[in-house]
């Protein structure tokens, strides 16, 4: 019997797997990548008796390969909060999928494990910009305000680490970050005992955010939708998602798109729906090839440069007050 763990490379995917493997350790083959690398299941070859866990990537984007594994006799545990489409009815599939805008995969895993490693769930939720959900869950704990602030800072920094066009853009590969994190039953212990990793993430996040904050909004922006264009640089690719979260938090009635220029003249886009009406980001992004995501936060991996105007108009229409 072989085990496979496929997980998104952002804070939510990493923290979801940390919880599961602290609860049930497995010597599994790890399949992951940068945050935008979501077609993970195609890299798995598993058959009868093998166990496959898939976390924080859309079932809709991996459907054919999930069915391939199920038909081959593998057992698949699938936990996610993205748009899934129709969920296969198969005895080998244990699916826990909830696309509601106030949940993430780490919170769903926390529910399965009945708060066994709730602090890691909080890190994942903060990383996915679910501050309200995280603070609501934290009320069930005895964490101090200072400790909760530390978990929030770590979650944002871990999420930031997942962004980039390739693993070379990242401070740490998601696999390396997971292997370090899973050694600690509490993320507070991770912060204390692995400062080389945790403080590198936090310092990198702060430096890149400073660069992003000096970039003005594009003139196409209005009260309903704001657009920010970042250059084709590693720091810009790393910060695109978390900066979108920061913009959304600062202006909760407005939608935001962070567009990062690519070497081919196209754009990598991160979209955040208004925090005060967290829906529509996935509908917008699915209008364009390589687009997808969830209701509150979505993106387009490779928008042709000549479609910038069409994207602007579509986003303004999507989020018109």
């Amino acid at each position: 019997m072989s085990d496979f763990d496929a997980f998104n490379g952002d804070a939510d995917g990493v923290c979801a797997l940390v919880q599961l493997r602290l609860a049930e350790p497995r010597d599994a083959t790890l399949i992951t990548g940068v945050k935008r690398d979501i077609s993970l299941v195609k890299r798995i070859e598993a058959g009868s008796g093998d166990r496959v866990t898939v976390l924080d990537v859309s079932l809709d984007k991996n459907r054919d390969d999930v069915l391939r594994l199920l038909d081959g006799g593998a057992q698949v545990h699938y936990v996610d909060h993205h748009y899934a489409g129709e969920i296969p009815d198969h005895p080998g599939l244990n699916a826990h999928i909830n696309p509601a805008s106030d949940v993430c995969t780490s919170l769903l895993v926390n529910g399965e494990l009945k708060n066994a490693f709730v602090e890691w769930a909080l890190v994942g939720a903060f990383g996915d910009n679910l501050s309200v959900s995280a603070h609501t869950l934290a009320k069930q704990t005895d964490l101090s305000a200072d400790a909760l602030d530390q978990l929030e800072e770590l979650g944002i920094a871990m999420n930031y680490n997942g962004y980039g066009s390739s693993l070379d853009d990242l401070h740490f590969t998601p696999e390396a970050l997971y292997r370090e994190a899973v050694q600690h039953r509490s993320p507070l212990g991770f912060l204390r005992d692995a400062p080389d990793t945790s403080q590198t993430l936090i310092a990198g996040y702060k430096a890149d955010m400073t660069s992003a904050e000096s970039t003005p909004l594009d003139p196409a922006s209005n009260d309903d939708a704001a657009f920010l264009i970042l250059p084709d640089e590693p720091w810009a690719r790393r910060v695109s998602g978390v900066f979108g979260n920061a913009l959304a938090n600062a202006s909760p009635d407005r939608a935001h798109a962070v567009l990062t220029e690519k070497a081919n003249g196209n754009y990598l886009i991160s979209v955040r729906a208004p925090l005060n009406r967290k829906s529509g980001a996935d509908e917008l992004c699915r209008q364009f090839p390589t687009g997808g995501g969830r209701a509150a936060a979505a993106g387009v991996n490779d928008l042709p440069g000549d479609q910038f105007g069409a994207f602007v108009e579509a986003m303004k229409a999507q989020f018109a007050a």
Side-chain angles (χ1 to χ4, degrees), residues 127-151:
D128 247 24
N129 203 36
L130 296 179
S131 180
V132 173
S133 297
H135 279 98
T136 299
L137 177 60
K139 293 176 181 178
Q140 302 178 29
T141 74
D142 57 0
L143 288 166
S144 68
D146 179 66
L148 197 58
D149 286 345
Q150 291 183 61
L151 298 186

Side-chain angles (χ1 to χ4, degrees), residues 148-216:
L148 197 58
D149 286 345
Q150 291 183 61
L151 298 186
E152 181 171 16
E153 183 176 57
L154 177 61
I156 292 171
M158 288 181 68
N159 198 56
Y160 147 84
N161 183 71
Y163 284 87
S165 62
S166 70
L167 294 176
D168 291 338
D169 284 339
L170 312 185
H171 293 292
F172 302 97
T173 68
E175 178 176 343
L177 185 57
Y178 161 75
R179 290 190 185 279
E180 180 69 47
V182 79
Q183 298 179 46
H184 305 273
R185 295 181 68 82
S186 165
L188 296 173
F190 172 66
L191 284 166
R192 180 186 64 246
D193 299 331
D196 289 347
T197 301
S198 60
Q199 295 309 309
T200 294
L201 293 179
I202 292 169
Y205 162 74
K206 291 179 177 178
D208 289 353
M209 283 292 286
T210 297
S211 297
E213 287 164 355
S214 67
T215 305

Side-chain angles (χ1 to χ4, degrees), residues 2-316:
S2 298
D3 292 310
F4 301 86
D5 288 339
F7 61 103
N8 191 279
D10 69 356
D12 191 26
V14 172
C15 293
L17 185 59
V18 167
Q19 293 176 78
L20 283 176
R21 294 298 157 251
L22 286 172
E24 184 182 355
R26 291 183 184 178
D27 183 17
T29 298
L30 302 179
I31 299 95
T32 187
V34 298
K35 181 179 175 65
R36 297 299 182 102
D37 186 1
I38 59 172
S39 298
L40 300 178
V41 184
K42 68 182 180 182
R43 292 157 52 185
I44 301 175
E45 295 295 334
S48 180
D50 293 339
R51 298 182 296 185
V52 177
T53 298
V54 187
L55 302 169
D56 199 35
V57 293
S58 167
L59 175 62
D60 189 56
K61 300 293 187 182
N62 289 275
R63 180 182 314 280
D64 290 345
D65 287 294
V66 169
L67 291 172
R68 171 177 58 82
L69 296 180
L70 291 170
D71 290 342
Q75 299 291 310
V76 179
H77 181 200
Y78 209 114
V79 189
D80 184 47
H81 66 129
H82 298 92
Y83 173 78
E86 184 177 354
I87 299 174
D89 181 11
H90 193 287
L93 176 64
N94 173 21
H96 187 180
I97 296 175
N98 182 352
S101 61
D102 59 349
V103 301
C104 61
T105 307
S106 286
L107 293 177
L108 295 175
V109 169
N110 179 67
E112 290 187 355
L113 299 178
K114 297 180 170 45
N115 290 356
F117 301 99
V118 66
E119 292 174 9
W120 279 115
L122 291 171
V123 172
F126 279 126
D128 247 24
N129 203 36
L130 296 179
S131 180
V132 173
S133 297
H135 279 98
T136 299
L137 177 60
K139 293 176 181 178
Q140 302 178 29
T141 74
D142 57 0
L143 288 166
S144 68
D146 179 66
L148 197 58
D149 286 345
Q150 291 183 61
L151 298 186
E152 181 171 16
E153 183 176 57
L154 177 61
I156 292 171
M158 288 181 68
N159 198 56
Y160 147 84
N161 183 71
Y163 284 87
S165 62
S166 70
L167 294 176
D168 291 338
D169 284 339
L170 312 185
H171 293 292
F172 302 97
T173 68
E175 178 176 343
L177 185 57
Y178 161 75
R179 290 190 185 279
E180 180 69 47
V182 79
Q183 298 179 46
H184 305 273
R185 295 181 68 82
S186 165
L188 296 173
F190 172 66
L191 284 166
R192 180 186 64 246
D193 299 331
D196 289 347
T197 301
S198 60
Q199 295 309 309
T200 294
L201 293 179
I202 292 169
Y205 162 74
K206 291 179 177 178
D208 289 353
M209 283 292 286
T210 297
S211 297
E213 287 164 355
S214 67
T215 305
L217 291 178
D218 188 84
S221 303
N222 65 10
D223 290 341
D224 297 323
F227 305 89
L228 187 111
I229 300 178
L230 298 180
D232 179 21
E233 298 288 346
W235 72 262
R237 293 190 288 272
R238 286 194 299 264
V239 83
S240 61
V242 289
F243 191 57
N245 290 343
L247 291 171
N249 291 331
S251 301
D253 291 320
R254 182 163 65 175
H256 295 83
V258 177
L259 299 92
T260 306
E261 295 174 338
K262 302 179 68 171
N264 62 2
N266 295 348
Y267 294 99
L268 174 73
I269 307 178
S270 290
V271 174
R272 298 294 179 268
L275 281 186
N276 288 341
R277 44 189 177 100
K278 295 191 293 185
S279 64
D282 54 343
E283 295 176 9
L284 167 69
C285 292
R286 286 202 302 271
Q287 295 177 39
F288 299 88
T290 74
R294 53 192 175 87
V300 182
N301 288 340
D302 195 43
L303 181 81
D306 61 5
Q307 291 189 27
F308 172 74
F311 177 81
V312 167
E313 294 307 312
M315 183 161 169
K316 287 180 176 179

